Amino acid sequence: FASYYGDHMVLQKKPSGAVVWGHGELGALVTVTLSGAGGLIVMEKTAQVKGPSGTWTTVLDPMDRGGPYALTAEQGLENVTLRDIYFGDVWLCSGQSNMAMTVLQVANASQELAMASRYPYVRIFAAAPARSDVELEDLERINLPWSIPTAENLGHGNFTYFSAVCWLLGRSLYEALRSPIGLVEVAWGGTPIEAWSSRRALQACGLPEDTGREGPQSSLWYGACFNLKPALCFAPPLSLALSSSSSPHQHLSGPQTPSVLWNAMIHPLLNMTLRGVAWYQGEANAFLHTDQYNCTFPALIADWRRTFHAGSAGQTELLLPFGFVQLSTYRRQSADDSFARLRWHQTADLGVVPNARMPSTFMAVAMDLGDEHSPYGSIHPRDKQNVVHRLLLGARAVAYGDKDLVFQGPYPTRAILEVTRGLLNVTYSQELICRQRDAQAFEVCCSSQAAPCRWLLAPVVAVGSRTVTLALSGCRTLVLGLRYAWAEWPCEYQACPFYNPQGLPAPPFL
């Protein structure tokens, strides 16, 4: 079997068929047998070992949830048996350090770890950090083979394994679905999206292929502005060192060379049948190629979907549900707007998901979950429970089709200018709960020309059930734009200006 397989694993249940693959002698015939209680054979498949990689692949018949089963691969006189296998839903969790934070590091850690043994049907697996200049067929190393969760393997250390966001999401999915959940963690702190993207995905955004290997001389030139307003563009040419040994910023501590993590950590898993993806990444791109993210992120999602669909012989659905966490906060008084721009680009500049450029996606807004006193730095907030609660709502709505579930916060549908009164009336999609009436969260672009924009505060003067009225007293010329929560630290803990009755914050917009 490929290194991804092991005792205690979860394979994807029906309607998809789980893909099983491994290595063998070239040309040999491999017999794969699935057996249930008492050794009763449930199904038998055969596959031939093919070159040049010497691998075999077979698709199991779709199985109902449950177990335990044993899976045997036999080639001649050799055989390998994996035991205690369950069928359920398999989720891949990827990203940088906020995904890598372990259960030991988050709020209520001791309580969370004490509860681990209550979830024996949520199984966990963690790949070890690895990079490669070429696409690998198998993982180089594994941090945690398929395991039943315990306080020890969930609380292993700082930013090692197992991911708190991944675990809490899997546990919550199990509670909602009462079906086994398999969690696969592939994360590396301080890594930009370019490292997780295939060369094909980067080329789709007009980014040049990287020709150098990981090292101090490796660099990329990004000069283009991909469908951006000129005011938001980087002035070409821009060159930044992309090696971990010459990092331009402390939060770019992992490999930055394009595609090296795709090659080593994602490509080896493409044969897997997946139910969904959870992604927490973006902090690194607030310091590197920020304004390309509105292309690179949708391109990564589309590329992962195509390649997992193809790699699993069509068993992973083509519109694989993809959930992500919007950036939280970092520096309270910072005037830098790179976090705000990155949050906006995480939605492909459309504000909410799913949208036309990002179908079948869902987002957890986290800008109100800042943690200034986190011992791991304010860029690593400890409240991952609320993050996961918001992710779970999106997963249930988008991945599992719960049509009655509210999983997004309120978003503006129109803005009407009352010129004579100097007011702007903003109408929202949902009922508004106002938690911070005097928050300075709205700004208007007040200028006689589109660029550069002069952003002025627009105080809230009235709040209706779905409307907010803003005063434009400081603006005596044209109002060309409106933005909300456009700051690195836009609001206090669970105290953004506006939420819906379900407690979901209104997301930022431009």
Side-chain angles (χ1 to χ4, degrees), residues 16 24 35 78 109 148 171-172 223 273 281 308 328 388 474 497:
S16 300
S35 52
E78 293 181 79
I148 295 169
R171 187 191 76 187
S172 302
T273 309
Q281 190 277 336
F308 273 101
S328 184
V388 167

Side-chain angles (χ1 to χ4, degrees), residues 301 305 317 319-323 353-355 358-362 398-399:
I301 295 171
R305 284 172 168 168
E317 62 180 293
L319 276 181
L320 174 67
F322 195 107
V353 298
N355 60 49
M358 299 172 67
S360 198
T361 61
F362 53 96
V398 173

Side-chain angles (χ1 to χ4, degrees), residues 437-454:
R437 176 69 179 267
D438 57 350
Q440 299 179 334
F442 290 96
E443 296 168 283
V444 288
C445 169
C446 181
S447 182
S448 55
Q449 55 188 33
C453 223
R454 196 163 67 96

Side-chain angles (χ1 to χ4, degrees), residues 95-376:
Q96 55 181 113
S97 55
N98 269 303
M99 181 61 82
M101 279 182 81
T102 69
V103 182
L104 182 70
Q105 295 177 274
V106 301
N108 301 319
S110 55
Q111 182 183 343
E112 297 290 2
L113 292 171
M115 290 168 58
S117 59
R118 297 185 195 176
Y119 300 93
Y121 303 114
V122 181
R123 305 292 173 83
I124 55 179
F125 173 94
R131 70 185 99 184
S132 173
D133 294 317
V134 295
E135 293 179 338
L136 302 183
E137 294 298 320
D138 209 354
L139 295 170
E140 284 187 348
R141 290 185 302 114
I142 292 164
N143 268 346
L144 182 70
W146 279 108
S147 303
I148 295 169
T150 64
E152 184 181 3
N153 59 29
L154 285 178
H156 185 263
N158 290 350
F159 303 104
T160 49
Y161 60 85
F162 189 77
S163 162
V165 167
C166 195
W167 163 251
L168 294 170
L169 178 62
R171 187 191 76 187
S172 302
L173 284 169
Y174 175 78
E175 288 173 343
L177 305 170
R178 290 294 159 186
S179 176
I181 300 290
L183 301 172
V184 178
E185 179 195 341
V186 282
W188 193 332
T191 51
I193 196 168
E194 290 83 358
W196 295 102
S197 304
S198 71
R199 297 188 172 189
R200 179 179 50 251
L202 294 173
Q203 286 168 346
C205 293
L207 305 187
E209 261 192 67
D210 178 67
T211 52
R213 291 176 174 269
E214 189 83 14
Q217 304 308 313
S218 177
S219 65
L220 267 186
W221 293 72
Y222 292 163
C225 294
F226 304 105
N227 303 315
L228 294 170
K229 297 178 179 69
L232 293 179
C233 286
F234 286 121
L238 170 73
S239 177
L240 282 173
L242 292 182
S243 75
S244 55
S245 58
S246 58
S247 175
H249 196 279
Q250 60 173 329
H251 296 298
L252 293 167
S253 55
Q256 292 142 55
T257 300
S259 305
V260 291
L261 303 184
W262 158 267
N263 291 339
M265 299 179 75
I266 302 299
H267 191 268
L269 304 177
L270 291 182
N271 291 59
M272 288 172 59
T273 309
L274 293 179
R275 186 66 185 86
V277 175
W279 173 261
Y280 196 157
Q281 190 277 336
E283 296 89 350
N285 288 99
F287 307 104
L288 184 74
H289 310 143
T290 306
D291 290 319
Q292 281 76 43
Y293 206 88
N294 65 355
C295 182
T296 50
F297 188 35
L300 174 138
I301 295 171
D303 186 64
W304 282 24
R305 284 172 168 168
R306 281 193 300 268
T307 49
F308 273 101
H309 179 75
S312 65
Q315 297 305 304
T316 295
E317 62 180 293
L318 199 49
L319 276 181
L320 174 67
F322 195 107
F324 63 95
V325 183
Q326 196 177 44
L327 287 196
S328 184
T329 54
Y330 178 29
R331 300 164 296 196
R332 183 186 290 275
Q333 299 298 334
S334 174
D336 192 320
D337 76 341
S338 59
F339 261 55
R341 297 202 322 272
L342 202 287
R343 289 188 195 109
W344 181 241
H345 296 330
Q346 284 179 296
T347 68
D349 298 359
L350 293 168
V352 286
V353 298
N355 60 49
R357 288 191 62 197
M358 299 172 67
S360 198
T361 61
F362 53 96
M363 173 176 76
V365 175
M367 65 179 180
D368 64 330
L369 301 176
D371 184 359
E372 194 171 19
H373 303 295
S374 169
Y376 314 104

